[in-house]
Structure formats: C-alpha cells, structure tokens
Amino acid sequence: MKKIIIASTSTVHGSDYLSYILPTLATFFKEVSTILFIPYARPSGISYDDYTIKAKKAFEKINIKVKGIHEYNNPKDAVLKAEAIFTGGGNTFELVNQLYKQDIINSLQEAVNGGTPYLGTSAGSNICGVTMMNTNDMPIVYPPSFTTLGFIPFNINAHYLDPNPDSTHMGETRETRIKEYHVFNTTPVLGLREGSWLEVINKDIVLRGDYTARLFKANESPREIPSNSKVIV
Amino acid sequence: MKKIIIASTSTVHGSDYLSYILPTLATFFKEVSTILFIPYARPSGISYDDYTIKAKKAFEKINIKVKGIHEYNNPKDAVLKAEAIFTGGGNTFELVNQLYKQDIINSLQEAVNGGTPYLGTSAGSNICGVTMMNTNDMPIVYPPSFTTLGFIPFNINAHYLDPNPDSTHMGETRETRIKEYHVFNTTPVLGLREGSWLEVINKDIVLRGDYTARLFKANESPREIPSNSKVIV
C-alpha cells in the first residue's frame, strides 16, 4: 500500500523548516523510528552533511532519527531497507541527475510502491510525478532523462504562484509556462501552492492544507481543486 | 567579423514588440533587406507562421523583410545564405531541441562567426552563451544537449530580476539560482535586465540600454557592469 506526502514547500514564510507540516508528519510517521534522507537536491549548493543536519533538527522535535543516504555504502540497499524516506527540496535537475547516477530510481519505486512511507518537499515532490518537466528550477546540470518516479499519474508544479496583475516584468507567468508544456505533452499538471500538500494512500490522492490547487490538463481550462477533496485527473 | 545584438527581452512593459530597440536595429541592420527569422522557441506555443507574422510587422517599420526558416526546404542552407538572422524568444528548451533536430548548430556558428549579423531576444539570446543552463524557462521538452552556440565566452540570464525584499514566496531568487549553478559549473553568467542588450562587434562586448548588468563568477561576489562599458569576464 502506497503512503506518500507530496508537499509544495518545506517551509512557509516566517516559520521554521518543516514546522507547518510537523503535526501531520508526527501522525504519518508514527510507526517510524528512523527516516532515510535524500539530500541530493542541495538547496543553495549546501553539502549533503549540512542538509542532513537540517532535516535531523526538524525531525528530532517529533522523536524521529534521520540518516543521510550518502552515509551508506550502498544507496540502493539503503532505499530498499529504509523504514521511511524523505527527499528534500533544492535543484530538481541535480536531484534527478543523482537519482540516475546512483541508480536508485528502480529501488525507490520498489520501496514506495511496496509501502515504505515517503515524504517529498519541493524538488522531492516534483520527482513523484511522471516527469520533472514542470519544475521551476534552473537547468544547472544535464540529467540523463526528465522521467521521474511516477508515484502519481500527473506532474507537480511546486511553489505554484498565481499571476501578479501589478507586475511589469515580461517573463512568463507560471500558468503560461504550464500551458506551453501542454502544447508538447499530455500529462496533467497540478499547481500546488505553498502550504498545500497531497496525501496519497494507495490510489487515493487528497489535497491537504489551507489552499485550493490548480489542475491543468491539455486542451481544457484550468480548474481549482478544493482542499480536503480527492484529486482525480 | 562578428556582429551580434543579444537582448534581454523583445518587449518592455507597456510598449509594442521590439519597439524599444527598433532605432538600434535600424542602424545595426542598415545594409540588410531581408532577415531570416527562427521562430522555434514558440512563445505560448504559437505556430511558426503566426510568430513570423509578428516579427514581420515589427521589421516592416524599418523597411526590412522577414522570412521564417520553416519556409525553406533546407534550413542549413537558409542559415548559410541569410543576409541576417533573428532568433525570437519563447521556450529555450524547445528552441535548443529544434536547433539540434534541424541540425543547424554548426551552420549558425559558421554564419555568425563569419559575419552574418545576428539578433537574439530572450531565448534567442540565451543560445548565444556557452550553454543554456541559465535559462528561466520550464523544461517542457528534453533537448539532446544543453550546449549552445558559444558566440560569447559566458552564459546569459535573460529577464534578470533583482530579489524582491517584500516577497513572502519561498521559491529561490534569481541570484540564489545562479549561485547554485556555480557550485557545479565555472562559466560566468551575465544577468541582463529587461531593456538591456549586449552589442558584440568581433571580440568587443558592450552593454547597452539604461541599466547595469550583474556579472556572476564562480567563487567571486557578483558585480554590476555599468551601461556603455565593455563586459570583460
């Protein structure tokens, strides 16, 4: 049975790392004593050790230990034997690059589809989709593929931002970018606003948090999914 | 002799397509009667024909004809025989994908390094750098490589945006993203603000327009390049 939390962001403005979602995680991980942390996305380029310390500090508040995947000799084994897995945010291109380089795509699919609880935030959530093609990140490395873990039958746009009507900047809005994506692709995309997350229990995908989420499908007008309702694409 | 204009954007807020830079283009292209237009970046997914009409309407104001590369049977030949070339903005991933698919990377290098005047805006400017790794665009297609034309010895971040101190959004600032890039790469990056452009005459690269540009180098603090001064990396 699949058990996954897919969060738009690790941190909401003005609060500590993971603190907005910690009560949810305490319940979600209540049978877990140690989480395997995947720090490959390296936000701001920080080291795997430093990033793992950050995750440790958050999870010790709910009495869960954290161990970084880089502390193991065999990352595949670490994934397959993990009690639970957390992939943190950062740069999605580098994260996906390392998933391929360390050859753990299949192991992650085997573990999580087999019931190992998984938490993703931001880049760690993008990889739960079919591809990473709706990331907002800069392509600072060239991964061998954009195909990701496919835990859900659509893609995630994390940190979804509504158009700002006052902006004078000519860069494309998020909605324009996702519509461009649908000129070339058919996989639906869910824009998850900061503070929202998906709770996946087997085939049921439910939106949680205070906000609606915006669902984009090829050749259809986008629509808002209410909080606490199922996401059906 | 190389002759290139590398513009951050085609359009500044509140004005028509290319109008802010049209007086400069009238001088830059004064010996040119027809420009070859490369519409591959397809902003908002518009067709090559529609995009070419948009370019035509702008250039007819300065009495220059525009012909789309898709109107030719042999795109390599079209590039090599062009009087001048303009690559418009849109999605950099799809643009680069098509440059490889149509196999015109070498032809563009031969033509432009041999003296064919070139204008790029936005995505069409990103490809003038060493790689497309500093684009802001969404990776909606997977190009065979991120390596681009290398007309200049650094990369471009078009539509460069300064951090907004009032923002409560947790997505990375442009500066943070470029600094992450330099954890993995050494090529310098120039953040070009909207309304700025580079004028490349052979080896001389001069910043034009009303704004400074922000130069990022690995392991150095970023610095501002004044308008009308040479960009030396």
Side-chain angles (χ1 to χ4, degrees):
Chain A
M1 188 173 99
K2 273 196 292 197
K3 238 190 120 188
I4 308 176
I5 287 181
I6 298 173
S8 175
T9 184
S10 62
T11 312
V12 295
H13 186 72
S15 77
D16 287 342
Y17 185 66
L18 291 177
S19 71
Y20 80 99
I21 202 170
L22 222 42
T24 302
L25 298 181
T27 308
F28 185 74
F29 288 128
K30 73 171 183 294
E31 325 256 300
V32 171
S33 66
T34 305
I35 288 179
L36 179 72
F37 180 58
I38 300 181
Y40 294 153
R42 301 181 64 184
S44 300
I46 62 169
S47 72
Y48 293 163
D49 278 343
D50 286 351
Y51 198 11
T52 303
I53 289 168
K54 190 171 174 177
K56 260 180 200 163
K57 282 185 181 158
F59 276 98
E60 75 189 10
K61 293 176 191 162
I62 54 171
N63 298 311
I64 296 177
K65 293 192 196 76
V66 169
K67 203 164 166 184
I69 192 168
H70 62 293
E71 299 171 43
Y72 293 85
N73 286 328
N74 185 332
K76 279 188 202 184
D77 240 37
V79 166
L80 293 172
K81 290 179 182 159
E83 274 183 82
I85 299 167
F86 168 33
T87 306
N91 184 282
T92 309
F93 291 86
E94 173 57 8
L95 169 57
V96 170
N97 193 39
Q98 289 302 326
L99 295 183
Y100 280 97
K101 209 166 159 182
Q102 307 296 336
D103 194 18
I104 58 168
I105 298 268
N106 292 341
S107 316
L108 280 166
Q109 287 169 330
E110 190 181 327
V112 176
N113 291 328
T116 307
Y118 177 96
L119 166 66
T121 59
S122 193
S125 292
N126 289 335
I127 61 172
C128 295
V130 178
T131 73
M132 56 164 283
M133 287 187 174
N134 301 99
T135 178
N136 313 306
D137 296 337
M138 197 173 259
I140 59 176
V141 298
Y142 184 70
S145 168
F146 286 166
T147 301
T148 48
L149 299 166
F151 295 150
I152 51 174
F154 51 88
N155 284 354
I156 295 290
N157 179 253
H159 304 277
Y160 184 76
L161 252 188
D162 293 290
N164 172 3
D166 299 329
S167 173
T168 59
H169 188 71
M170 302 305 291
E172 297 86 355
T173 66
R174 202 62 65 78
E175 179 154 335
T176 301
R177 291 164 192 270
I178 297 171
K179 285 181 175 170
E180 282 183 4
Y181 165 83
H182 276 139
V183 173
F184 299 94
N185 304 275
T186 54
T187 302
V189 180
L190 188 70
L192 261 187
R193 294 180 176 88
E194 292 181 347
S196 290
W197 65 93
L198 298 178
E199 189 185 85
V200 183
I201 305 292
N202 225 357
K203 298 212 165 195
D204 283 348
I205 306 171
V206 177
L207 177 67
R208 302 291 187 197
D210 292 340
Y211 309 101
T212 60
R214 196 160 178 85
L215 181 65
F216 297 86
K217 295 178 79 168
N219 306 314
E220 288 184 22
S221 296
R223 63 189 168 89
E224 292 292 324
I225 310 282
S227 182
N228 299 316
S229 70
K230 281 194 195 178
V231 180
I232 297 166
V233 300
Chain B
M1 187 173 98
K2 273 198 291 198
K3 236 188 121 189
I4 307 175
I5 286 181
I6 298 172
S8 175
T9 184
S10 62
T11 312
V12 295
H13 186 73
S15 77
D16 287 341
Y17 185 67
L18 291 177
S19 71
Y20 80 99
I21 203 172
L22 222 42
T24 302
L25 298 182
T27 309
F28 184 74
F29 288 129
K30 74 170 182 293
E31 325 255 300
V32 171
S33 68
T34 304
I35 288 179
L36 178 72
F37 179 57
I38 300 181
Y40 294 153
R42 299 181 63 185
S44 301
I46 62 168
S47 71
Y48 293 164
D49 277 342
D50 286 351
Y51 199 10
T52 303
I53 289 168
K54 191 172 174 178
K56 259 179 200 165
K57 280 184 182 159
F59 275 99
E60 74 189 11
K61 294 176 191 161
I62 55 171
N63 298 312
I64 295 177
K65 292 191 195 77
V66 170
K67 203 164 166 185
I69 192 169
H70 61 292
E71 299 171 43
Y72 292 84
N73 286 327
N74 185 332
K76 281 189 201 184
D77 239 41
V79 166
L80 293 172
K81 290 178 181 159
E83 276 182 82
I85 299 167
F86 167 34
T87 305
N91 185 281
T92 309
F93 290 86
E94 173 57 8
L95 169 57
V96 170
N97 193 39
Q98 289 301 326
L99 295 183
Y100 280 97
K101 209 165 159 183
Q102 306 297 335
D103 194 19
I104 58 168
I105 298 268
N106 292 341
S107 316
L108 280 167
Q109 288 169 329
E110 190 180 327
V112 176
N113 290 329
T116 307
Y118 177 97
L119 165 67
T121 59
S122 193
S125 292
N126 288 335
I127 61 172
C128 295
V130 178
T131 73
M132 55 164 284
M133 288 186 173
N134 302 99
T135 178
N136 312 306
D137 296 337
M138 194 172 261
I140 58 176
V141 296
Y142 184 71
S145 168
F146 286 166
T147 302
T148 48
L149 299 166
F151 295 150
I152 50 175
F154 52 89
N155 285 354
I156 295 291
N157 179 252
H159 304 276
Y160 184 76
L161 254 188
D162 293 290
N164 173 3
D166 298 328
S167 174
T168 60
H169 187 70
M170 301 305 291
E172 299 86 355
T173 65
R174 202 63 65 77
E175 180 153 334
T176 300
R177 290 164 192 269
I178 297 171
K179 284 179 177 170
E180 282 183 5
Y181 165 83
H182 276 137
V183 173
F184 300 95
N185 303 276
T186 54
T187 302
V189 181
L190 188 70
L192 261 187
R193 294 179 176 90
E194 292 181 346
S196 290
W197 66 92
L198 298 178
E199 187 185 270
V200 183
I201 304 292
N202 225 358
K203 297 210 167 201
D204 284 349
I205 305 171
V206 178
L207 177 67
R208 301 290 187 198
D210 291 340
Y211 308 100
T212 60
R214 196 158 179 84
L215 181 65
F216 297 85
K217 295 177 80 168
N219 306 314
E220 289 185 23
S221 296
R223 63 189 167 89
E224 292 291 324
I225 309 283
S227 182
N228 299 316
S229 69
K230 279 193 197 179
V231 180
I232 297 165
V233 300

